[in-house]
Amino acid sequence: MDWMPLLSTLAGAAIGIAATLIADRNRWRREEDRHAWEIRREAYTVYVSALKAAGEEIRAVALGDHLTASSRDAAVREAVRGSGVYTASEALWLVGPTRVVAAGNEAFHGLRALRDAYARGVSVGSPEEAPLVARRRAAMARMRQAMREDLGIGPLGIE
C-alpha cells in the first residue's frame, strides 16, 4: 500500500486547520484591540468633558456674587462634585495607560488648584489667577496630547 497520498492529504489538512486557527486568532485579537481602543476613547472623552464642565462651573461661581466666603467655598466645591469629574477620573485610572493617567491626574490637580483659589476668593482675571489658568491649560494640552498619541491620532499642532 502506498502511504504517500494519505500522508499528503493529512499534512494538507493539518496545514489548513492551523492556518484557519491562526487567522481566527488574529481576527479575534484585532477585534479585542479595537474594543479596548473604543473603551479608552470613550473614557478619555468623558474625562476631558468633565474637566471642561467643572472648569466652566467654578469660573461661573467665581464670577457670581456670594455673601460669605463659606458660601463661595461650598458653591465652588459643589460645582466640581456635580461635574462628574470624580467618576470620570476613576474610569480613566482603570483603562488608561500610565502616561495618560499621569497627564490626566496633572490636569485634575490644575483644576483643583484653581478651585481652591476661587474658594479663597481669588477673582477671575486677577494676577493671582493667571498662573493657575496657565498651569491648567498647559496640563490639559499635555493630557490631550497623551490621549491622542495613545489612540494613534496625530497631534493637532494648535495647542
Side-chain angles (χ1 to χ4, degrees):
M1 178 170 183
D2 188 12
W3 291 95
M4 283 309 282
L6 180 60
L7 290 175
S8 296
T9 302
L10 288 174
I15 291 170
I17 290 170
T20 300
L21 289 174
I22 290 169
D24 285 347
R25 170 79 175 154
N26 289 340
R27 187 177 316 109
W28 174 80
R29 182 179 230 76
R30 280 191 308 273
E31 289 171 7
E32 285 296 307
D33 289 346
R34 178 71 178 168
H35 182 67
W37 184 91
E38 287 290 337
I39 288 171
R40 288 192 324 275
R41 184 188 56 78
E42 178 65 21
Y44 297 171
T45 302
V46 170
Y47 187 62
V48 170
S49 298
L51 282 173
K52 289 288 283 184
E56 290 299 317
E57 289 296 319
I58 64 173
R59 188 173 193 279
V61 170
L63 286 169
D65 293 327
H66 296 280
L67 299 175
T68 66
S70 65
S71 67
R72 180 183 175 120
D73 180 73
V76 169
R77 292 181 189 287
E78 183 53 39
V80 173
R81 275 193 298 276
S83 70
V85 73
Y86 293 111
T87 302
S89 174
E90 289 303 317
L92 179 71
W93 279 73
L94 289 174
V95 301
T98 304
R99 183 169 185 259
V100 172
V101 172
N105 197 43
E106 181 185 357
F108 177 76
H109 285 287
L111 173 72
R112 278 185 33 188
L114 200 53
R115 177 204 67 189
D116 293 346
Y118 289 152
R120 286 191 317 270
V122 169
S123 300
V124 173
S126 70
E128 282 182 273
E129 181 208 36
L132 297 170
V133 170
R135 172 185 168 195
R136 180 169 180 263
R137 284 183 181 154
M140 291 287 288
R142 283 189 294 276
M143 177 188 65
R144 284 189 202 101
Q145 179 182 353
M147 289 174 172
R148 291 177 66 84
E149 286 174 6
D150 179 53
L151 295 173
I153 302 169
L156 286 174
I158 60 174
E159 289 190 326

